[in-house]
Amino acid sequence: MSAHATPEQIEDVVARLAEAGCAAYVTEGKDATVIGALGESELLAALPLEGFPGVEQVLPILKPYKLVSREISPDPSVIEVRGRRIGHGWFGFIAGPCTVETRAQTLETARVVAAEGVTLLRGGAFKPRTSPYAFQGLGLEGLKILAEARDETGLPLVTELMDPRDIDAVVEYADVIQIGARNMQNFNLLSEVGRAGKPVLIKRGPSASIEELLMAAEYVVKEGNTQVILCERGIKTFERSTRYTLDISAIPVLKHETHLPVIVDPSHAAGKRDLVLPLARAAVAAGADGVIVEVHPRPEEALCDGPQLIPTAEFGEFAGEIRALVSLMGKTIG
């Protein structure tokens, strides 16, 4: 639409698309409003939208991901969670325990990360594990402990949803619903969280392409939920010196392709705590909109991913380096 298009003209175009059986997604940008139309290409081609009042240009989007594309929304999106922001100059600093093991461990970790300027608290109540015999999380009890940590620190919660049967409980307690790497292509789950009305953080699968990650986000946005954060957390390659290979190039590629915020998980990519800070530095320098890291009071006693957890005693130094680099990049921790 033209920069001077009126609300009535925008409504007329949306109504015409609906009459033709097409879905319309309206995005209000800084300089103009863009209307994304989804439907049969033959129907869209037959609509004389170029002549409608207020319409400046009609462009086909050839990429398979439509709603998350920069073509439909040139301005970067900012995701707001209880007053904390991620994207377009706002940096999301997310930290917390890999998994909720005990109330004491979770609250101790939450207090430390909150004191160091973290903006969101991460923690797993439901844990997807490679081995069926490994610790699977505390479930609902874990969610209640996380909620207590939020009440004490004021930090919004990021926690993983694995099963659609748990969505009501996770929606009740979480502020951001995380879709883990193993569920990135669980399309029914993606559609469910798209209807849940909560921000969604989607982690890239270890064997997924960038296009597949964007298509996963498209499943969520298609259901009406535009509050999506993408997370690069390492992919499988032939290299074995790290747990996964962190694809730093994915950050600028994603930011070119999509308006959604892009963050990085250096903990899971590294698999070793002494590599987490160097990878986090690289992510910030490459333009990431945030990092998500794992912290524990006593990693040697952790029930999950002990070798990659940052000890709470060392987190202050880690956070100081991240804050300095974020500032150098001209961003603000949100």
Side-chain angles (χ1 to χ4, degrees):
M1 304 298 291
S2 72
H4 305 292
T6 66
E8 291 76 18
Q9 290 171 338
I10 293 170
E11 290 174 6
D12 287 344
V13 173
V14 171
R16 183 67 188 91
L17 289 167
E19 290 172 5
C22 303
Y25 297 84
V26 180
T27 303
E28 295 183 2
K30 181 175 62 177
D31 300 316
T33 296
V34 176
I35 302 175
L38 289 182
E40 295 294 332
S41 56
E42 293 81 5
L43 287 174
L44 291 169
L47 292 175
L49 294 175
E50 292 91 342
F52 267 55
V55 174
E56 182 173 288
Q57 194 175 19
V58 178
L59 294 171
I61 298 177
L62 302 179
K63 291 170 180 166
Y65 42 91
K66 313 292 187 185
L67 302 175
V68 304
S69 170
R70 280 271 187 181
E71 292 177 318
I72 195 171
S73 185
D75 297 327
S77 294
V78 177
I79 309 302
E80 186 165 337
V81 187
R82 287 180 177 253
R84 312 301 176 100
R85 287 166 285 191
I86 301 175
H88 197 32
W90 296 99
F91 189 87
F93 194 2
I94 309 170
C98 171
T99 184
V100 176
E101 300 166 359
T102 66
R103 177 178 178 273
Q105 163 254 355
T106 302
L107 292 177
E108 182 179 351
T109 305
R111 291 169 188 143
V112 169
V113 300
E116 294 297 337
V118 161
T119 54
L120 286 91
L121 176 67
R122 63 143 294 139
F126 301 92
K127 293 300 298 180
R129 306 299 300 279
T130 301
S131 169
Y133 307 112
F135 179 62
Q136 305 289 318
L138 296 180
L140 181 58
E141 183 59 30
L143 291 176
K144 292 178 179 178
I145 292 172
L146 285 169
E148 184 179 352
R150 176 182 57 204
D151 292 342
E152 181 175 326
T153 64
L155 294 177
L157 297 180
V158 181
T159 195
E160 184 168 354
L161 172 66
M162 295 170 51
D163 190 324
R165 290 172 295 185
D166 298 318
I167 192 166
D168 290 340
V170 172
V171 166
E172 179 182 352
Y173 288 96
D175 299 299
V176 178
I177 301 172
Q178 177 181 305
I179 300 298
R182 293 172 177 84
N183 271 315
M184 191 208 80
Q185 290 183 302
N186 184 338
F187 302 123
N188 289 333
L189 186 62
L190 293 170
S191 295
E192 284 294 326
V193 297
R195 295 186 286 266
K198 288 283 180 82
V200 180
L201 190 159
I202 305 177
K203 287 194 171 185
R204 182 183 181 184
S207 299
S209 68
I210 287 175
E211 182 174 297
E212 288 170 331
L213 173 60
L214 289 168
M215 291 304 294
E218 190 82 3
Y219 266 91
V220 177
V221 178
K222 184 176 180 293
E223 297 299 327
N225 186 353
T226 60
Q227 301 179 90
V228 177
I229 302 163
L230 302 176
C231 182
E232 163 61 36
R233 47 85 76 196
I235 55 175
K236 285 187 176 180
T237 69
F238 56 81
E239 185 54 65
R240 290 293 172 264
S241 58
T242 53
R243 187 178 184 184
Y244 295 101
T245 297
L246 184 64
D247 185 5
I248 286 292
S249 66
I251 301 167
V253 170
L254 283 167
K255 291 182 77 65
H256 179 268
E257 292 294 315
T258 180
H259 55 89
L260 301 175
V262 180
I263 71 169
V264 169
D265 176 353
S267 297
H268 281 91
K272 303 173 184 176
R273 74 175 59 93
D274 59 337
L275 297 179
V276 175
L277 179 57
L279 293 184
R281 287 195 196 109
V284 178
D289 296 303
V291 293
I292 178 169
V293 296
E294 297 182 339
V295 185
H296 195 286
R298 292 162 294 280
E300 67 280 2
E301 300 175 7
L303 299 178
C304 178
D305 291 342
Q308 70 195 36
L309 305 179
I310 302 170
T312 51
E314 300 174 14
F315 185 71
E317 182 179 354
F318 176 92
E321 294 227 19
I322 296 302
R323 288 195 301 267
L325 191 51
V326 168
S327 177
L328 185 64
M329 293 298 293
K331 295 186 177 180
T332 302
I333 293 179

